[in-house]
Amino acid sequence: MEEKVKLLGCWTSGYSYRVIWALKLKGVEYDYIEEDLRNKSDMLLQFNPVHKKIPVLVHGGKPIAESLVILEYIEETWPESPLLPKDSYERALARFWIKFGDDKGRTLSVLFFQAPEEKPDENAIKEVVEFLKILEEKALGDKKYFGGNNIGLVDIAYGWLCHWLRALEDMRGVKVLEPSTLPRLHAWVENFEQIPVIQENLPDYTKWLAHLKSRRN
Amino acid sequence: MADELVLLDTCVSMFGMRVRIALAEKGIKYEYKEQDLTNKSELLLKMNSINKKIPVLIHNGKPICESLIIVQYIDEVWNDRSPFLPSDPYQRAQARFWADFFDQKAVYAVGKKLVTTKGEEQEAAKKEFLEIYKTMERELGEKPYFGGEKFGYVDIALITFYSWFYVYETLEKFSMEAECPKIVAWAKRCMQKESVAKTLPDQKKVYKRVLELYGLK
């Protein structure tokens, strides 16, 4: 008998969606619990006492926290529709790119959390462009997805780029992902968003942007 | 065909030590190449063109970067002996979570603040430093190792930072044994292992070097 799967998440969090996408791609049934992060539930505090954050996956009553740890757990527990390569070297590369994205992702947030009247931080913009260039040239290359012909954990880990880069333009007037300068990455965003599981499980952009703006104020 | 392994590292790097312990645990032979980070070699720049950091493990010409990714790679490739990660997916997730927690807390940076700042900033750093280790101590509980009965992934991730305990204790006049007795007992237990004893530097030598490094009395 399959043990019950529960996901504590938040509709505004990119980390939450990573887990949703992985579960859906593998056809894993789960109960979703929306958390109000300004008023954390007892269940969340009990299941993630260390960080008190979402997402938390609960499988057969046992909690796993941290999105990347959860993704590796999902991959190992439900090996059908694999999201990581079989080859150990390729797996190490995938893990490297995932970590790279999470480490660099913080730079983007600098641009968002500046005051609206401040001119966008030039150095931060430069860093973002460089980051995207590296992704396009070294991580994506000529592949359709980071995972090759099909999406994998690296694509899932970078899914946040889709909404955030759009928001960067709408909120800060900073356009970094142009088809003329980053054609392959630009194509990746389009391809990624068209995958049915992804398309059906993305927060409404307008609603999400409004939330982002309110959070910043 | 014999495996060709090269490790690009610096002898003082606690991240590099993780890899050296992992290789020693599995009885793997490799060529060690000491790097000068003030004058980075062409090999390092080629093998880790993204971050330009050590450690880098080069396996039959192919580079793997990031200490914990390298440790996982070693565990997967040489999976016939001394496993670092447990076989149960839930236990593996817990191990990954705790190693990630420790790295997220940036003990090295906190420790640096502890010995190079004064007043309120130093007090805050000391509090943070002890909190990290007390959290790890609670996780360790009564187990001989973080891995349970056997030395494993989390032990490898943490033990290399033990070589700085003497530095913190001597400069800041507190006793890790008094504050975190189980951690100190665990560390001494790890030091009984040849792989650890041969890799970790002498604590007094580290102390001398740190004094020079930070220009302290």
Side-chain angles (χ1 to χ4, degrees), chain B residues 138-177:
Chain B
R138 280 194 293 274
E139 167 55 22
L140 179 65
E142 300 306 319
K143 305 195 294 284
Y145 300 105
F146 285 96
E149 291 304 311
K150 293 227 174 89
F151 182 78
Y153 184 69
V154 181
D155 304 282
I156 294 174
L158 259 71
I159 190 56
T160 63
F161 291 77
Y162 173 62
S163 52
W164 278 57
F165 279 17
Y166 180 77
V167 175
Y168 304 132
E169 288 175 314
T170 309
L171 288 175
E172 298 317 315
K173 302 182 179 29
F174 68 94
S175 159
M176 277 304 276
E177 187 139 18

mmCIF file of all heavy atoms in Angstrom, chain B residues 138-177:
data_model
loop_
_atom_site.group_PDB
_atom_site.id
_atom_site.type_symbol
_atom_site.label_atom_id
_atom_site.label_comp_id
_atom_site.label_asym_id
_atom_site.label_seq_id
_atom_site.Cartn_x
_atom_site.Cartn_y
_atom_site.Cartn_z
ATOM 1 N N ARG B 138 22.530 18.340 18.876
ATOM 2 C CA ARG B 138 21.205 17.746 19.119
ATOM 3 C C ARG B 138 20.922 16.686 18.071
ATOM 4 O O ARG B 138 20.378 15.628 18.370
ATOM 5 C CB ARG B 138 20.119 18.826 19.098
ATOM 6 C CG ARG B 138 20.008 19.620 20.373
ATOM 7 C CD ARG B 138 18.714 20.424 20.397
ATOM 8 N NE ARG B 138 18.696 21.481 19.382
ATOM 9 C CZ ARG B 138 19.211 22.685 19.558
ATOM 10 N NH1 ARG B 138 19.806 23.000 20.697
ATOM 11 N NH2 ARG B 138 19.138 23.591 18.607
ATOM 12 N N GLU B 139 21.311 16.966 16.841
ATOM 13 C CA GLU B 139 21.087 16.007 15.761
ATOM 14 C C GLU B 139 21.931 14.742 15.997
ATOM 15 O O GLU B 139 21.483 13.631 15.756
ATOM 16 C CB GLU B 139 21.431 16.640 14.411
ATOM 17 C CG GLU B 139 21.530 15.683 13.239
ATOM 18 C CD GLU B 139 20.293 14.822 13.038
ATOM 19 O OE1 GLU B 139 19.198 15.200 13.496
ATOM 20 O OE2 GLU B 139 20.436 13.740 12.435
ATOM 21 N N LEU B 140 23.138 14.918 16.474
ATOM 22 C CA LEU B 140 24.010 13.771 16.747
ATOM 23 C C LEU B 140 23.394 12.894 17.826
ATOM 24 O O LEU B 140 23.393 11.659 17.703
ATOM 25 C CB LEU B 140 25.402 14.255 17.168
ATOM 26 C CG LEU B 140 26.431 13.168 17.511
ATOM 27 C CD1 LEU B 140 26.766 12.349 16.269
ATOM 28 C CD2 LEU B 140 27.693 13.782 18.086
ATOM 29 N N GLY B 141 22.880 13.510 18.869
ATOM 30 C CA GLY B 141 22.266 12.759 19.954
ATOM 31 C C GLY B 141 23.253 11.796 20.576
ATOM 32 O O GLY B 141 24.382 12.164 20.867
ATOM 33 N N GLU B 142 22.819 10.543 20.727
ATOM 34 C CA GLU B 142 23.680 9.535 21.364
ATOM 35 C C GLU B 142 24.413 8.682 20.339
ATOM 36 O O GLU B 142 25.070 7.712 20.696
ATOM 37 C CB GLU B 142 22.824 8.629 22.268
ATOM 38 C CG GLU B 142 22.106 9.395 23.376
ATOM 39 C CD GLU B 142 23.058 10.234 24.220
ATOM 40 O OE1 GLU B 142 24.170 9.755 24.540
ATOM 41 O OE2 GLU B 142 22.703 11.390 24.540
ATOM 42 N N LYS B 143 24.273 9.038 19.074
ATOM 43 C CA LYS B 143 24.906 8.227 18.022
ATOM 44 C C LYS B 143 26.428 8.426 18.065
ATOM 45 O O LYS B 143 26.900 9.513 18.360
ATOM 46 C CB LYS B 143 24.392 8.630 16.631
ATOM 47 C CG LYS B 143 22.866 8.584 16.484
ATOM 48 C CD LYS B 143 22.425 8.617 15.029
ATOM 49 C CE LYS B 143 22.740 9.905 14.305
ATOM 50 N NZ LYS B 143 21.846 11.001 14.663
ATOM 51 N N PRO B 144 27.187 7.375 17.742
ATOM 52 C CA PRO B 144 28.635 7.562 17.676
ATOM 53 C C PRO B 144 29.045 8.503 16.539
ATOM 54 O O PRO B 144 29.996 9.266 16.663
ATOM 55 C CB PRO B 144 29.190 6.153 17.463
ATOM 56 C CG PRO B 144 28.034 5.312 17.064
ATOM 57 C CD PRO B 144 26.792 5.976 17.540
ATOM 58 N N TYR B 145 28.353 8.389 15.406
ATOM 59 C CA TYR B 145 28.608 9.265 14.263
ATOM 60 C C TYR B 145 27.280 9.816 13.777
ATOM 61 O O TYR B 145 26.230 9.273 14.074
ATOM 62 C CB TYR B 145 29.253 8.471 13.110
ATOM 63 C CG TYR B 145 30.569 7.836 13.460
ATOM 64 C CD1 TYR B 145 30.655 6.465 13.695
ATOM 65 C CD2 TYR B 145 31.731 8.603 13.559
ATOM 66 C CE1 TYR B 145 31.870 5.886 14.029
ATOM 67 C CE2 TYR B 145 32.946 8.026 13.886
ATOM 68 C CZ TYR B 145 33.000 6.665 14.127
ATOM 69 O OH TYR B 145 34.196 6.089 14.453
ATOM 70 N N PHE B 146 27.355 10.889 12.994
ATOM 71 C CA PHE B 146 26.135 11.406 12.379
ATOM 72 C C PHE B 146 25.530 10.353 11.487
ATOM 73 O O PHE B 146 24.322 10.275 11.306
ATOM 74 C CB PHE B 146 26.430 12.693 11.600
ATOM 75 C CG PHE B 146 26.652 13.886 12.480
ATOM 76 C CD1 PHE B 146 27.934 14.266 12.833
ATOM 77 C CD2 PHE B 146 25.568 14.614 12.973
ATOM 78 C CE1 PHE B 146 28.147 15.359 13.671
ATOM 79 C CE2 PHE B 146 25.777 15.708 13.803
ATOM 80 C CZ PHE B 146 27.057 16.079 14.160
ATOM 81 N N GLY B 147 26.395 9.522 10.905
ATOM 82 C CA GLY B 147 25.920 8.446 10.044
ATOM 83 C C GLY B 147 25.360 7.261 10.818
ATOM 84 O O GLY B 147 24.984 6.262 10.212
ATOM 85 N N GLY B 148 25.315 7.350 12.130
ATOM 86 C CA GLY B 148 24.846 6.227 12.953
ATOM 87 C C GLY B 148 26.026 5.440 13.484
ATOM 88 O O GLY B 148 26.937 5.999 14.087
ATOM 89 N N GLU B 149 26.041 4.144 13.209
ATOM 90 C CA GLU B 149 27.143 3.311 13.684
ATOM 91 C C GLU B 149 28.399 3.541 12.868
ATOM 92 O O GLU B 149 29.503 3.273 13.326
ATOM 93 C CB GLU B 149 26.753 1.826 13.608
ATOM 94 C CG GLU B 149 25.680 1.434 14.604
ATOM 95 C CD GLU B 149 26.074 1.768 16.038
ATOM 96 O OE1 GLU B 149 27.203 1.414 16.450
ATOM 97 O OE2 GLU B 149 25.263 2.409 16.741
ATOM 98 N N LYS B 150 28.205 4.005 11.635
ATOM 99 C CA LYS B 150 29.361 4.161 10.757
ATOM 100 C C LYS B 150 29.597 5.621 10.406
ATOM 101 O O LYS B 150 28.659 6.414 10.270
ATOM 102 C CB LYS B 150 29.126 3.381 9.456
ATOM 103 C CG LYS B 150 29.093 1.879 9.646
ATOM 104 C CD LYS B 150 29.965 1.181 8.609
ATOM 105 C CE LYS B 150 30.055 -0.293 8.879
ATOM 106 N NZ LYS B 150 28.951 -0.993 8.182
ATOM 107 N N PHE B 151 30.849 5.957 10.219
ATOM 108 C CA PHE B 151 31.297 7.266 9.746
ATOM 109 C C PHE B 151 30.744 7.486 8.349
ATOM 110 O O PHE B 151 30.841 6.598 7.495
ATOM 111 C CB PHE B 151 32.835 7.215 9.713
ATOM 112 C CG PHE B 151 33.518 8.469 9.294
ATOM 113 C CD1 PHE B 151 33.666 9.530 10.177
ATOM 114 C CD2 PHE B 151 34.079 8.569 8.026
ATOM 115 C CE1 PHE B 151 34.348 10.684 9.798
ATOM 116 C CE2 PHE B 151 34.764 9.715 7.643
ATOM 117 C CZ PHE B 151 34.895 10.774 8.522
ATOM 118 N N GLY B 152 30.107 8.642 8.100
ATOM 119 C CA GLY B 152 29.482 8.829 6.789
ATOM 120 C C GLY B 152 29.547 10.256 6.279
ATOM 121 O O GLY B 152 30.384 11.059 6.703
ATOM 122 N N TYR B 153 28.614 10.554 5.413
ATOM 123 C CA TYR B 153 28.574 11.810 4.661
ATOM 124 C C TYR B 153 28.599 13.053 5.542
ATOM 125 O O TYR B 153 29.386 13.971 5.306
ATOM 126 C CB TYR B 153 27.304 11.771 3.795
ATOM 127 C CG TYR B 153 27.105 12.918 2.857
ATOM 128 C CD1 TYR B 153 27.923 13.101 1.747
ATOM 129 C CD2 TYR B 153 26.036 13.794 3.039
ATOM 130 C CE1 TYR B 153 27.695 14.145 0.861
ATOM 131 C CE2 TYR B 153 25.808 14.832 2.156
ATOM 132 C CZ TYR B 153 26.638 15.002 1.066
ATOM 133 O OH TYR B 153 26.407 16.031 0.181
ATOM 134 N N VAL B 154 27.746 13.098 6.527
ATOM 135 C CA VAL B 154 27.669 14.284 7.380
ATOM 136 C C VAL B 154 28.943 14.407 8.227
ATOM 137 O O VAL B 154 29.459 15.507 8.442
ATOM 138 C CB VAL B 154 26.419 14.258 8.287
ATOM 139 C CG1 VAL B 154 26.341 15.505 9.157
ATOM 140 C CG2 VAL B 154 25.156 14.145 7.445
ATOM 141 N N ASP B 155 29.454 13.273 8.668
ATOM 142 C CA ASP B 155 30.711 13.282 9.430
ATOM 143 C C ASP B 155 31.830 13.883 8.586
ATOM 144 O O ASP B 155 32.608 14.724 9.048
ATOM 145 C CB ASP B 155 31.088 11.860 9.859
ATOM 146 C CG ASP B 155 29.985 11.180 10.656
ATOM 147 O OD1 ASP B 155 29.853 11.483 11.853
ATOM 148 O OD2 ASP B 155 29.238 10.376 10.058
ATOM 149 N N ILE B 156 31.908 13.443 7.325
ATOM 150 C CA ILE B 156 32.937 13.969 6.413
ATOM 151 C C ILE B 156 32.764 15.483 6.246
ATOM 152 O O ILE B 156 33.729 16.243 6.262
ATOM 153 C CB ILE B 156 32.871 13.267 5.037
ATOM 154 C CG1 ILE B 156 33.248 11.789 5.185
ATOM 155 C CG2 ILE B 156 33.793 13.959 4.030
ATOM 156 C CD1 ILE B 156 33.071 10.974 3.906
ATOM 157 N N ALA B 157 31.495 15.912 6.084
ATOM 158 C CA ALA B 157 31.224 17.336 5.852
ATOM 159 C C ALA B 157 31.670 18.207 7.024
ATOM 160 O O ALA B 157 32.166 19.314 6.832
ATOM 161 C CB ALA B 157 29.742 17.545 5.576
ATOM 162 N N LEU B 158 31.480 17.682 8.227
ATOM 163 C CA LEU B 158 31.733 18.498 9.415
ATOM 164 C C LEU B 158 33.127 18.395 10.003
ATOM 165 O O LEU B 158 33.668 19.364 10.532
ATOM 166 C CB LEU B 158 30.751 18.107 10.525
ATOM 167 C CG LEU B 158 29.568 19.012 10.714
ATOM 168 C CD1 LEU B 158 28.612 18.878 9.568
ATOM 169 C CD2 LEU B 158 28.880 18.715 12.022
ATOM 170 N N ILE B 159 33.721 17.214 9.955
ATOM 171 C CA ILE B 159 34.931 16.957 10.752
ATOM 172 C C ILE B 159 36.099 17.863 10.358
ATOM 173 O O ILE B 159 36.925 18.221 11.191
ATOM 174 C CB ILE B 159 35.337 15.463 10.708
ATOM 175 C CG1 ILE B 159 36.440 15.162 11.743
ATOM 176 C CG2 ILE B 159 35.823 15.050 9.319
ATOM 177 C CD1 ILE B 159 36.093 15.540 13.182
ATOM 178 N N THR B 160 36.150 18.268 9.081
ATOM 179 C CA THR B 160 37.307 19.052 8.658
ATOM 180 C C THR B 160 37.367 20.405 9.366
ATOM 181 O O THR B 160 38.430 21.004 9.462
ATOM 182 C CB THR B 160 37.318 19.253 7.139
ATOM 183 O OG1 THR B 160 36.160 20.005 6.748
ATOM 184 C CG2 THR B 160 37.284 17.915 6.415
ATOM 185 N N PHE B 161 36.253 20.870 9.881
ATOM 186 C CA PHE B 161 36.231 22.159 10.573
ATOM 187 C C PHE B 161 36.705 22.041 12.022
ATOM 188 O O PHE B 161 36.915 23.051 12.689
ATOM 189 C CB PHE B 161 34.827 22.782 10.496
ATOM 190 C CG PHE B 161 34.475 23.226 9.110
ATOM 191 C CD1 PHE B 161 34.095 22.317 8.126
ATOM 192 C CD2 PHE B 161 34.561 24.569 8.766
ATOM 193 C CE1 PHE B 161 33.811 22.721 6.837
ATOM 194 C CE2 PHE B 161 34.265 24.987 7.467
ATOM 195 C CZ PHE B 161 33.887 24.067 6.502
ATOM 196 N N TYR B 162 36.898 20.827 12.471
ATOM 197 C CA TYR B 162 37.379 20.580 13.835
ATOM 198 C C TYR B 162 38.783 21.134 14.031
ATOM 199 O O TYR B 162 39.144 21.552 15.121
ATOM 200 C CB TYR B 162 37.346 19.075 14.103
ATOM 201 C CG TYR B 162 37.976 18.664 15.417
ATOM 202 C CD1 TYR B 162 37.466 19.113 16.627
ATOM 203 C CD2 TYR B 162 39.072 17.798 15.440
ATOM 204 C CE1 TYR B 162 38.038 18.735 17.834
ATOM 205 C CE2 TYR B 162 39.646 17.410 16.645
ATOM 206 C CZ TYR B 162 39.135 17.874 17.836
ATOM 207 O OH TYR B 162 39.700 17.483 19.027
ATOM 208 N N SER B 163 39.553 21.171 12.952
ATOM 209 C CA SER B 163 40.946 21.606 13.079
ATOM 210 C C SER B 163 41.056 23.075 13.495
ATOM 211 O O SER B 163 42.132 23.536 13.848
ATOM 212 C CB SER B 163 41.725 21.343 11.791
ATOM 213 O OG SER B 163 41.047 21.881 10.683
ATOM 214 N N TRP B 164 39.950 23.806 13.462
ATOM 215 C CA TRP B 164 39.982 25.200 13.887
ATOM 216 C C TRP B 164 39.480 25.417 15.317
ATOM 217 O O TRP B 164 39.505 26.542 15.813
ATOM 218 C CB TRP B 164 39.140 26.065 12.931
ATOM 219 C CG TRP B 164 39.865 26.453 11.695
ATOM 220 C CD1 TRP B 164 40.437 25.632 10.774
ATOM 221 C CD2 TRP B 164 40.109 27.795 11.250
ATOM 222 N NE1 TRP B 164 41.016 26.363 9.776
ATOM 223 C CE2 TRP B 164 40.830 27.690 10.034
ATOM 224 C CE3 TRP B 164 39.779 29.058 11.739
ATOM 225 C CZ2 TRP B 164 41.226 28.817 9.304
ATOM 226 C CZ3 TRP B 164 40.167 30.180 11.007
ATOM 227 C CH2 TRP B 164 40.890 30.057 9.811
ATOM 228 N N PHE B 165 39.015 24.361 15.967
ATOM 229 C CA PHE B 165 38.471 24.536 17.323
ATOM 230 C C PHE B 165 39.486 25.177 18.256
ATOM 231 O O PHE B 165 39.160 26.083 19.025
ATOM 232 C CB PHE B 165 38.014 23.184 17.900
ATOM 233 C CG PHE B 165 36.656 22.751 17.435
ATOM 234 C CD1 PHE B 165 36.063 23.310 16.325
ATOM 235 C CD2 PHE B 165 35.961 21.762 18.108
ATOM 236 C CE1 PHE B 165 34.808 22.902 15.879
ATOM 237 C CE2 PHE B 165 34.698 21.343 17.694
ATOM 238 C CZ PHE B 165 34.129 21.914 16.571
ATOM 239 N N TYR B 166 40.723 24.718 18.167
ATOM 240 C CA TYR B 166 41.765 25.248 19.060
ATOM 241 C C TYR B 166 41.949 26.750 18.839
ATOM 242 O O TYR B 166 42.160 27.514 19.773
ATOM 243 C CB TYR B 166 43.068 24.488 18.821
ATOM 244 C CG TYR B 166 44.204 24.953 19.699
ATOM 245 C CD1 TYR B 166 44.268 24.578 21.044
ATOM 246 C CD2 TYR B 166 45.214 25.773 19.192
ATOM 247 C CE1 TYR B 166 45.303 25.011 21.859
ATOM 248 C CE2 TYR B 166 46.247 26.208 20.000
ATOM 249 C CZ TYR B 166 46.291 25.829 21.330
ATOM 250 O OH TYR B 166 47.311 26.266 22.132
ATOM 251 N N VAL B 167 41.838 27.177 17.579
ATOM 252 C CA VAL B 167 41.962 28.597 17.233
ATOM 253 C C VAL B 167 40.888 29.401 17.959
ATOM 254 O O VAL B 167 41.180 30.388 18.652
ATOM 255 C CB VAL B 167 41.793 28.813 15.707
ATOM 256 C CG1 VAL B 167 41.798 30.291 15.367
ATOM 257 C CG2 VAL B 167 42.873 28.089 14.935
ATOM 258 N N TYR B 168 39.638 28.958 17.804
ATOM 259 C CA TYR B 168 38.526 29.703 18.404
ATOM 260 C C TYR B 168 38.635 29.708 19.923
ATOM 261 O O TYR B 168 38.468 30.740 20.572
ATOM 262 C CB TYR B 168 37.180 29.094 18.009
ATOM 263 C CG TYR B 168 36.951 28.980 16.522
ATOM 264 C CD1 TYR B 168 36.500 27.797 15.958
ATOM 265 C CD2 TYR B 168 37.175 30.067 15.669
ATOM 266 C CE1 TYR B 168 36.281 27.687 14.599
ATOM 267 C CE2 TYR B 168 36.967 29.961 14.302
ATOM 268 C CZ TYR B 168 36.521 28.765 13.770
ATOM 269 O OH TYR B 168 36.313 28.652 12.436
ATOM 270 N N GLU B 169 38.949 28.554 20.476
ATOM 271 C CA GLU B 169 39.010 28.427 21.937
ATOM 272 C C GLU B 169 40.104 29.291 22.520
ATOM 273 O O GLU B 169 39.911 29.970 23.530
ATOM 274 C CB GLU B 169 39.281 26.968 22.322
ATOM 275 C CG GLU B 169 38.116 26.045 22.087
ATOM 276 C CD GLU B 169 38.485 24.596 22.379
ATOM 277 O OE1 GLU B 169 39.561 24.165 21.927
ATOM 278 O OE2 GLU B 169 37.679 23.925 23.031
ATOM 279 N N THR B 170 41.267 29.282 21.880
ATOM 280 C CA THR B 170 42.412 30.004 22.427
ATOM 281 C C THR B 170 42.225 31.509 22.270
ATOM 282 O O THR B 170 42.476 32.267 23.193
ATOM 283 C CB THR B 170 43.705 29.553 21.723
ATOM 284 O OG1 THR B 170 43.748 28.134 21.758
ATOM 285 C CG2 THR B 170 44.933 30.123 22.406
ATOM 286 N N LEU B 171 41.768 31.931 21.101
ATOM 287 C CA LEU B 171 41.625 33.365 20.869
ATOM 288 C C LEU B 171 40.444 33.959 21.623
ATOM 289 O O LEU B 171 40.492 35.098 22.063
ATOM 290 C CB LEU B 171 41.493 33.644 19.370
ATOM 291 C CG LEU B 171 42.777 33.460 18.573
ATOM 292 C CD1 LEU B 171 42.515 33.637 17.090
ATOM 293 C CD2 LEU B 171 43.858 34.426 19.038
ATOM 294 N N GLU B 172 39.384 33.202 21.750
ATOM 295 C CA GLU B 172 38.179 33.734 22.383
ATOM 296 C C GLU B 172 37.924 33.205 23.780
ATOM 297 O O GLU B 172 36.914 33.519 24.384
ATOM 298 C CB GLU B 172 36.973 33.471 21.484
ATOM 299 C CG GLU B 172 37.089 34.160 20.138
ATOM 300 C CD GLU B 172 37.597 35.588 20.248
ATOM 301 O OE1 GLU B 172 37.114 36.331 21.114
ATOM 302 O OE2 GLU B 172 38.509 35.955 19.489
ATOM 303 N N LYS B 173 38.829 32.417 24.259
ATOM 304 C CA LYS B 173 38.773 31.931 25.639
ATOM 305 C C LYS B 173 37.442 31.290 26.007
ATOM 306 O O LYS B 173 36.738 31.748 26.896
ATOM 307 C CB LYS B 173 39.118 33.059 26.624
ATOM 308 C CG LYS B 173 40.510 33.633 26.337
ATOM 309 C CD LYS B 173 40.919 34.694 27.296
ATOM 310 C CE LYS B 173 42.312 35.233 27.016
ATOM 311 N NZ LYS B 173 42.787 35.214 25.634
ATOM 312 N N PHE B 174 37.078 30.274 25.261
ATOM 313 C CA PHE B 174 35.969 29.442 25.696
ATOM 314 C C PHE B 174 36.338 28.009 25.377
ATOM 315 O O PHE B 174 37.310 27.758 24.674
ATOM 316 C CB PHE B 174 34.647 29.837 25.033
ATOM 317 C CG PHE B 174 34.563 29.580 23.550
ATOM 318 C CD1 PHE B 174 34.003 28.404 23.064
ATOM 319 C CD2 PHE B 174 35.016 30.520 22.647
ATOM 320 C CE1 PHE B 174 33.919 28.179 21.699
ATOM 321 C CE2 PHE B 174 34.935 30.299 21.282
ATOM 322 C CZ PHE B 174 34.384 29.130 20.806
ATOM 323 N N SER B 175 35.585 27.072 25.913
ATOM 324 C CA SER B 175 35.922 25.671 25.726
ATOM 325 C C SER B 175 34.815 24.976 24.945
ATOM 326 O O SER B 175 33.661 24.936 25.395
ATOM 327 C CB SER B 175 36.115 25.009 27.090
ATOM 328 O OG SER B 175 35.974 23.617 26.979
ATOM 329 N N MET B 176 35.157 24.433 23.781
ATOM 330 C CA MET B 176 34.167 23.701 23.002
ATOM 331 C C MET B 176 33.712 22.462 23.763
ATOM 332 O O MET B 176 32.566 22.045 23.655
ATOM 333 C CB MET B 176 34.733 23.299 21.633
ATOM 334 C CG MET B 176 34.657 24.400 20.584
ATOM 335 S SD MET B 176 32.967 25.019 20.329
ATOM 336 C CE MET B 176 32.338 23.815 19.151
ATOM 337 N N GLU B 177 34.643 21.918 24.547
ATOM 338 C CA GLU B 177 34.300 20.720 25.323
ATOM 339 C C GLU B 177 33.222 21.053 26.351
ATOM 340 O O GLU B 177 32.324 20.241 26.600
ATOM 341 C CB GLU B 177 35.543 20.190 26.034
ATOM 342 C CG GLU B 177 35.309 18.861 26.706
ATOM 343 C CD GLU B 177 36.477 17.913 26.542
ATOM 344 O OE1 GLU B 177 37.590 18.396 26.210
ATOM 345 O OE2 GLU B 177 36.276 16.714 26.737
#
